[in-house]
Amino acid sequence: MSTERSIQEVARLAGTTSRTLRHYDDVGLLPPSRTGSNGYRYYDADALVRLQRILLLRDLGLGLPQIARALESQPDEVRALRTHAAWLRAEQERIARQIATVERTVAAIEEGTEPMAEQMFEGFDHTQHREEVEQRWGTDAYARSDTWWRGLSDDERAGWQRRSADRVAAWRSAAERGVDPASPEAQELAREHVAWLASIPGTPRTPDGTGAPDAYVVGLAEIYVADPRFAATYGGQDGATFVRDALVAFVEGRSGERA
């Protein structure tokens, strides 16, 4: 018989709260392995494995209904966890390459030498998500953006990366300062962000060709929250949520102006 742990102990170990665990039980996501005569919930090893999967999926930005569907669609826990571990290792390696790349650039700047262009973009390979882009927005969208990117010179690519980093830094700063997503500051960031999206060849266009469609902007904003790769860019889940809320507010305001 496996060891059972109380709800308080599980909450402490998992870095969550008893209230959250009770809610998971109420919605059928994580029933306890046993409920004592005193009404206390207890969790065995199988329940803890399920909780680990729930927390991993939550970190990907999935809502509880999506998590429930994911657990149901892949009941083989070992296989699911191995897949998630492989993804985490790939992300770890990619981030490690980016860290090394940035550190080399910083070292070169501090030494007064020119960074080696051939080494400045390791870990930034935009082609690694080709299949994902094509599935979401079509082969033409990827082909056009890929052609545009490959047509840039090393200096142009470096300049684009710097401007992108500045944009991300501005978003993260605003999020960390607790700026209201609907505030003028956040809405200016959103306006600049939407303009930046529209400047990239392959981005979907409105019928008049003047910018990115509202549905595209909102859809992408939701991906920022749901996909940990984007969320990490904006400082984590809270930062990505701030960006999404600001972009949604911008789109809603733009739609109101058209009405």
Side-chain angles (χ1 to χ4, degrees), residues 180-231:
D180 186 338
S183 69
E185 178 181 353
Q187 288 305 288
E188 177 60 20
L189 288 174
R191 184 194 65 76
E192 294 174 353
H193 194 93
V194 172
W196 169 76
L197 288 173
S199 72
I200 301 174
T203 298
R205 290 289 192 272
T206 54
D208 61 7
T210 59
D214 290 349
Y216 170 76
V217 174
V218 172
L220 192 60
E222 293 294 346
I223 292 173
Y224 289 166
V225 176
D227 192 318
R229 295 166 296 184
F230 285 109

Side-chain angles (χ1 to χ4, degrees), residues 86-102 104 121-129 227-234:
W87 180 86
L88 289 171
R89 281 193 294 271
E91 281 297 284
Q92 182 183 45
E93 292 171 1
R94 183 184 65 83
I95 292 171
R97 292 199 306 273
Q98 288 187 342
I99 291 172
T101 296
V102 172
R104 283 197 299 268
F121 304 106
E122 292 182 13
F124 292 93
D125 181 11
H126 74 293
T127 63
Q128 63 179 314
H129 304 307
D227 192 318
R229 295 166 296 184
F230 285 109
T233 297
Y234 295 108

Side-chain angles (χ1 to χ4, degrees), residues 1-4 43-46:
M1 182 175 179
S2 65
T3 302
E4 291 183 330
Y43 300 82
D44 61 12
D46 289 341

Side-chain angles (χ1 to χ4, degrees), residues 132-213:
E132 182 178 359
V133 172
E134 290 181 341
Q135 287 178 347
R136 283 176 172 163
W137 297 299
T139 55
D140 182 63
Y142 177 83
R144 290 177 61 191
S145 63
D146 182 61
T147 299
W148 162 74
W149 180 256
R150 293 183 186 279
L152 298 178
S153 67
D154 289 340
D155 287 344
E156 288 171 332
R157 290 181 183 176
W160 191 88
Q161 290 281 4
R162 283 194 297 270
R163 290 190 296 274
S164 296
D166 289 343
R167 178 176 46 78
V168 169
W171 275 122
R172 294 180 68 152
S173 173
E176 290 168 359
R177 287 184 283 110
V179 173
D180 186 338
S183 69
E185 178 181 353
Q187 288 305 288
E188 177 60 20
L189 288 174
R191 184 194 65 76
E192 294 174 353
H193 194 93
V194 172
W196 169 76
L197 288 173
S199 72
I200 301 174
T203 298
R205 290 289 192 272
T206 54
D208 61 7
T210 59

